[in-house]
Amino acid sequence: MPAFSIQKKVYFYPFTLLYLAIYLASCGSDKPSPPKTKTISEKTTKSAKKTTGDASISGIVSFSGAVPKLKSIDMGSVVECQEQHSSEIISEALVLGPNNTIGNVIVQIKTGLPTDSKYDPPSKPAVLDQIGCIYTPHILAVQTGQIVKFKNSDKVPHNVHTLSEKNKAFNKSVNKDREIEYIYDQEEIFFVKCDIHPWMKSYVGVVSHPFFGVTQSDGKFEIKKLPPGKYTVEVWHERLGKKTKEIEIVEGQSAELNFTLTKS
């Protein structure tokens, strides 16, 4: 009997340890599992608004009404300026083409782009030069964050006097072959003048996206790489004011939108 009792105890003890280990392991499984990482679903990704596309809006800006007579510019008081021009110099306040199309009109998308969209500025600087005692170009449109160079390619000194309100204004002299660099971060259209030569006038338009342009004398514009959507397109002229139109475009569409401006 004693031998049997000892043998029973020997076999019973290992099984007890095994059951205890299993029990303790099962108690540890009560710990909560780590939370799953949330991922953006494929459906959500597809529904996000595109910031660019392959649609475009093009058109012509024309003038309607009696064409006003523009003043000629007298540079006689500054020989160095006058000698750079072989013919009469006409004000660029209203530049018309053969069919009364209008140049120097800023055309831009005013509303309709995704509100959270961001666009990198062009790496190439925009340039407003002073050539023959005239600002060139007369109308300059730039994107926020883009470098703007104010240059002087003349033999005579000039000063650049900006009258911006939302961006920092300045009034600085610019000697021959010199330039000033500025970056604008607020949308606005502002006047630029030279206090030394009062006939020198220009405008700079600052836009927060790349969907804009400035018309030449043929009045034509084209805004490319637009995503589909409903847009407000604005045209602005220094003398004829501004005008807007609504248009809705779909992916890949080349839409036409023309404007007619009159003197108020």
Side-chain angles (χ1 to χ4, degrees):
M1 288 295 293
F4 176 78
S5 177
I6 292 172
Q7 187 178 8
K8 184 177 181 181
K9 287 180 181 180
V10 169
Y11 284 98
F12 177 76
Y13 184 71
F15 283 109
T16 303
L17 292 177
L18 177 62
Y19 289 142
L20 180 60
I22 293 173
Y23 174 77
L24 291 174
S26 64
C27 289
S29 65
D30 291 338
K31 294 181 180 180
S33 57
K36 294 182 179 180
T37 303
K38 293 183 179 180
T39 58
I40 300 175
S41 67
E42 184 179 353
K43 183 178 180 181
T44 303
T45 304
K46 288 182 178 179
S47 63
K49 285 188 176 181
K50 295 174 64 178
T51 56
T52 59
D54 58 2
S56 65
I57 301 173
S58 60
I60 297 176
V61 184
S62 302
F63 176 78
S64 177
V67 178
K69 185 178 180 180
L70 297 175
K71 296 179 179 180
S72 59
I73 298 174
D74 181 11
M75 298 184 182
S77 59
V78 186
V79 177
E80 295 88 348
C81 293
Q82 183 68 50
E83 66 183 9
Q84 297 185 63
H85 302 274
S86 58
S87 59
E88 184 181 15
I89 309 156
I90 303 297
S91 168
E92 295 182 274
L94 181 61
V95 174
L96 299 179
N99 299 311
N100 280 358
T101 52
I102 313 175
N104 289 332
V105 176
I106 297 178
V107 185
Q108 64 170 303
I109 297 297
K110 198 63 178 177
T111 64
L113 293 170
T115 55
D116 58 345
S117 59
K118 293 182 179 180
Y119 302 95
D120 293 330
S123 57
K124 184 179 180 180
V127 178
L128 183 61
D129 205 345
Q130 297 169 99
I131 304 172
C133 299
I134 293 176
Y135 276 118
T136 304
H138 181 65
I139 303 293
L140 177 68
V142 304
Q143 189 176 332
T144 51
Q146 182 178 8
I147 296 174
V148 182
K149 292 185 176 183
F150 298 89
K151 296 178 63 176
N152 180 6
S153 296
D154 280 336
K155 299 177 182 178
V156 298
H158 292 294
N159 82 302
V160 177
H161 188 176
T162 65
L163 279 75
S164 52
E165 296 180 356
K166 295 182 180 179
N167 297 281
K168 185 179 180 181
F170 68 89
N171 185 3
K172 294 185 177 181
S173 61
V174 186
N175 293 323
K176 178 186 175 182
D177 297 328
R178 301 296 297 272
E179 61 186 37
I180 300 172
E181 289 189 358
Y182 262 74
I183 295 177
Y184 297 95
D185 58 8
Q186 298 296 322
E187 284 193 315
E188 68 169 324
I189 299 175
F190 59 87
F191 182 55
V192 183
K193 64 178 181 174
C194 173
D195 296 325
I196 301 174
H197 310 108
W199 63 82
M200 293 182 62
K201 301 173 183 179
S202 179
Y203 288 87
V204 175
V206 184
V207 186
S208 64
H209 54 73
F211 307 110
F212 63 87
V214 179
T215 64
Q216 301 301 309
S217 59
D218 61 6
K220 293 181 179 180
F221 70 89
E222 184 177 18
I223 300 174
K224 300 179 180 180
K225 296 183 179 181
L226 282 166
K230 186 175 182 180
Y231 296 101
T232 300
V233 182
E234 179 188 87
V235 296
W236 174 94
H237 186 268
E238 62 181 284
R239 290 284 184 88
L240 305 176
K242 63 178 67 175
K243 191 172 186 178
T244 59
K245 283 188 177 182
E246 305 288 333
I247 188 171
E248 188 168 3
I249 55 176
V250 298
E251 189 74 27
Q253 182 182 3
S254 297
E256 183 176 343
L257 189 66
N258 298 317
F259 289 85
T260 300
L261 299 179
T262 60
K263 187 178 179 181
S264 56

